[in-house]
Amino acid sequence: MAEALRLTLNRGRWLAFAPVALIFGPLLPGLFWALAPALGAPVWLDLWADAQWPQALRATLVSSLLGSALALIMAMLLASWHYPGTLWLTLQRRLPLLLALPHAAFAVGLFFLLAPSGWLARLVAQLVHWTSPPDWVTVQDPYGLSLALALAIKESWFLLWVLAALLGEQPVRRQMVLARSLGYSRAQAWRLILWPQLLPRLGWPLAAVLAYGLSVVDMAIILGPNTPPTLAVLVWRWLTDPDAAMQARGSAASLVLLALLLLAAVLARGFWHWRERRRPDPDGLRKAPAARPGLKLHIPLFLTGYAVLAVLLIWSFAETWFFPALWPDSLSWQSWLTADWAPFWTTLWLAAAASLLCLPAALVWLEWGPQRLNAALYLPLIVPAMPLVAAQYAALLNLRLDGTAAGLVWSHLLWVLPYMVLTLVGAYRAFDARLLVSARALGCTRLQACLRVKWPLLARPILATFAVGFAVSVAQYLPTQFAGGGRFVTVTTEAVALSAGGNRRVLAVQALLQIALPVAAFAMAAWMPYWLARHRKGLR
């Protein structure tokens, strides 16, 4: 019996490793092929001598570090002010819609709001009687401040989602209740008890936020500086240049992005340990509860998301809309009737294929894979995307799969699978293992017990995981550009291309189509459990 169980576990482990090996395996030679040209000293001297290099590095550091810091501060303030309470529950209910908003679509909408001829400038124009847009640099500024603002708002929603999961754990909730019952104020409970425990657990999510800010290309093209652009955009241009010397320079610059992330992580960890050693012990003094802050930070934070959706919707129906009018002169369906739907269908089948391939891989990994290796699966989330995308492209070139549908789907799996595992791992760990033991005792194999008992009971988180994977695939820009070889156009690549000077009405339509896909996936994930459990009241 023990021998049969051991053989079953070994087969399950090999089954769990197989899809992971197919996704991650080609990256190893790909990294060598992509980064080997950067190993020579002349390449680094050439990079250092490039005139665009200093300003691009400055814009990258400002936008990524400032955006990450502001995102963390906003998430911490919202949690400190509103947890626990009804407003915190309201914030949690609103987060899924905002998280489903793709980065590129959000950047387009924010551009429509902040541009000198945007909606906010039109509001001011009504008060000061402007007749032409002001000569202000509100977007695509040389320091990347508008990009930092966009990253801060978008990533604060992600950090709030992570905090909601951490604060939902029973030990954390009990500690808050205990601290308040002992007479500590809300501020004291957070400062002395909760934040010292929660901030170290936010380390990996913060690393993911910073890694994205360092390597973001689609938002940087829309909102970032142009001459020169951020370092990530510069690396992308160099890597796609036919000149081998430029490609080598791009490989070296992609290693710089990785080095910046590692340096930031080391400095942050060192600062945290230094502060912890010097943090005084609690003195036991209770302070009277401070008055709730008058500033409602959640209002502008969430209003920005809704305003982005509103301005995109209005632009998609506008016929003529001249400055300083607050409303278009006329509305029409013309932009929708003449819209190019080919990117929409390409995105739909691509995201569906990537999600459907990764969902069973995630389930099998969580059931049979070694969970101590989960951190290795999360590496694509906490490493700047540029070196990984370059490695994927080099592997596809050597395998002669670049520009093919199979290569394009494979390029998306590297990011979809980690997000799906990360989303599902909490529900998987919380599952009552006694149910699985009972099914095995009744004669079911482990796979049968999963198919008949475990996975049906986890239908809600599994469907939510599928929606997350679908949304992640929809938002992918760099893998689509590199692996697709320009032969596959998605709503994300089309929106970024149109942002360079295309028709605003057409751009708004493509941005809304990009939003519609993940929203539809999350809506399906919310509705499907009720339909699946229509004859099983206990599962609703």
Side-chain angles (χ1 to χ4, degrees):
M1 182 66 179
E3 183 66 20
L5 181 61
R6 186 180 64 82
L7 290 175
T8 302
L9 289 175
N10 286 337
R11 284 197 297 267
R13 185 160 296 182
W14 281 111
L15 185 64
F17 270 112
V20 174
L22 288 174
I23 295 172
F24 285 80
L27 278 181
L28 299 178
L31 283 170
F32 173 76
W33 292 325
L35 301 180
L39 300 180
V43 176
W44 291 93
L45 294 175
D46 187 36
L47 172 64
W48 189 259
D50 190 279
Q52 303 177 90
W53 158 257
Q55 296 181 48
L57 181 62
R58 181 191 63 188
T60 298
L61 290 174
V62 169
S63 60
S64 59
L65 294 176
L66 182 60
S68 302
L70 288 177
L72 177 62
I73 291 171
M74 288 190 288
M76 290 177 64
L77 288 176
L78 282 171
S80 301
W81 289 348
H82 303 307
Y83 175 85
T86 55
L87 187 53
W88 178 253
L89 297 177
T90 302
L91 295 180
Q92 285 184 258
R93 288 194 294 269
R94 293 181 181 178
L95 274 177
L97 175 62
L98 298 174
L99 287 172
L101 194 63
H103 287 80
F106 178 75
V108 170
L110 201 62
F111 181 89
F112 287 167
L113 284 175
L114 299 180
S117 59
W119 214 3
L120 295 182
R122 293 167 188 262
L123 285 173
V124 177
Q126 305 303 311
L127 302 176
V128 298
H129 307 293
W130 287 338
T131 58
S132 59
D135 189 19
W136 295 347
V137 183
T138 53
V139 291
Q140 298 177 338
D141 59 284
Y143 292 96
L145 296 177
S146 56
L147 177 59
L149 177 63
L151 288 170
I153 296 173
K154 192 71 175 71
E155 299 306 327
S156 67
W157 300 334
F158 168 69
L159 292 178
L160 277 174
W161 176 64
V162 175
L163 273 174
L166 295 176
L167 293 172
E169 298 177 0
Q170 288 292 335
V172 177
R173 290 158 60 181
R174 285 197 298 264
Q175 289 171 11
M176 170 60 89
V177 172
L178 183 60
R180 298 302 303 275
S181 66
L182 291 175
Y184 290 98
S185 67
R186 176 191 294 267
Q188 282 184 301
W190 276 103
R191 180 171 54 86
L192 299 175
I193 299 172
L194 294 186
W195 283 129
Q197 300 178 68
L198 293 176
L199 283 176
R201 299 178 65 182
L202 284 175
W204 289 115
L206 275 174
V209 169
L210 180 58
Y212 182 81
L214 287 170
S215 59
V216 64
V217 171
D218 49 359
M219 294 183 76
I221 292 175
I222 298 169
L223 292 172
N226 289 327
T227 51
T230 61
L231 187 56
V233 178
L234 209 55
V235 172
W236 169 60
R237 292 177 181 174
W238 286 339
L239 287 175
T240 54
D241 195 285
D243 185 1
M246 301 299 285
Q247 293 176 13
R249 189 185 304 178
S251 299
S254 65
L255 288 177
V256 171
L257 293 175
L258 182 59
L260 289 175
L261 176 67
L262 294 176
L263 178 62
V266 170
L267 291 177
R269 191 171 183 83
F271 173 77
W272 176 256
H273 284 300
W274 173 83
R275 187 189 179 283
E276 283 298 291
R277 286 196 301 269
R278 285 160 177 76
R279 185 164 61 93
D281 295 329
D283 52 16
L285 297 177
R286 276 66 163 172
K287 295 182 180 178
R292 290 293 185 92
L295 175 63
K296 302 295 185 182
L297 180 61
H298 67 283
I299 295 178
L301 192 61
F302 284 84
L303 263 180
T304 303
Y306 300 139
V308 162
L309 290 172
V311 73
L312 287 174
L313 194 62
I314 296 172
W315 265 111
S316 69
F317 287 104
E319 280 197 345
T320 55
W321 193 2
F322 297 109
F323 190 90
L326 281 176
W327 192 259
D329 298 331
S330 59
L331 300 177
S332 162
W333 288 90
Q334 188 63 30
S335 298
W336 287 95
L337 294 175
T338 59
D340 182 8
W341 286 79
F344 176 86
W345 298 117
T346 301
T347 309
L348 179 61
W349 71 255
L350 176 58
S355 304
L356 289 173
L357 287 172
C358 284
L359 184 59
L363 289 171
V364 171
W365 176 265
L366 290 173
E367 188 63 37
W368 285 282
Q371 298 308 294
R372 64 182 181 276
L373 296 182
N374 279 0
L377 288 185
Y378 300 152
L379 281 178
L381 309 184
I382 58 176
V383 172
M386 197 61 69
L388 298 179
V389 172
Q392 282 187 325
Y393 185 54
L396 290 173
L397 282 175
N398 283 273
L399 295 172
R400 299 190 178 182
L401 289 174
D402 59 304
T404 64
L408 180 60
V409 171
W410 173 77
S411 70
H412 280 221
L413 300 183
L414 183 66
W415 280 269
V416 174
L417 180 63
Y419 269 108
M420 296 182 85
V421 172
L422 181 63
T423 304
L424 192 56
V425 67
Y428 225 83
R429 289 173 178 171
F431 183 79
D432 190 350
R434 293 172 298 180
L435 296 173
L436 202 61
V437 172
S438 299
R440 297 294 304 276
L442 292 172
C444 293
T445 64
R446 189 164 181 176
L447 179 58
Q448 289 174 331
C450 288
L451 291 172
R452 297 178 182 178
V453 179
K454 191 171 188 176
W455 293 341
L457 289 173
L458 292 174
R460 190 182 298 274
I462 286 174
L463 288 168
T465 299
F466 174 84
V468 169
F470 189 93
V472 169
S473 179
V474 168
Q476 293 305 310
Y477 177 75
L478 282 176
T480 306
Q481 287 287 79
F482 276 85
R487 300 179 187 178
F488 298 91
V489 180
T490 65
V491 288
T492 303
T493 59
E494 184 71 0
V496 175
L498 290 170
S499 68
N503 189 308
R504 283 194 177 188
R505 293 179 291 276
V506 178
L507 174 58
V509 169
Q510 292 298 327
L512 287 172
L513 289 177
Q514 189 193 21
I515 295 171
L517 285 167
V519 168
F522 279 101
M524 184 199 72
W527 170 78
M528 280 291 288
Y530 291 98
W531 182 82
L532 292 173
R534 63 193 184 280
H535 301 308
R536 298 174 176 85
K537 187 175 181 180
L539 293 179
R540 294 178 188 174

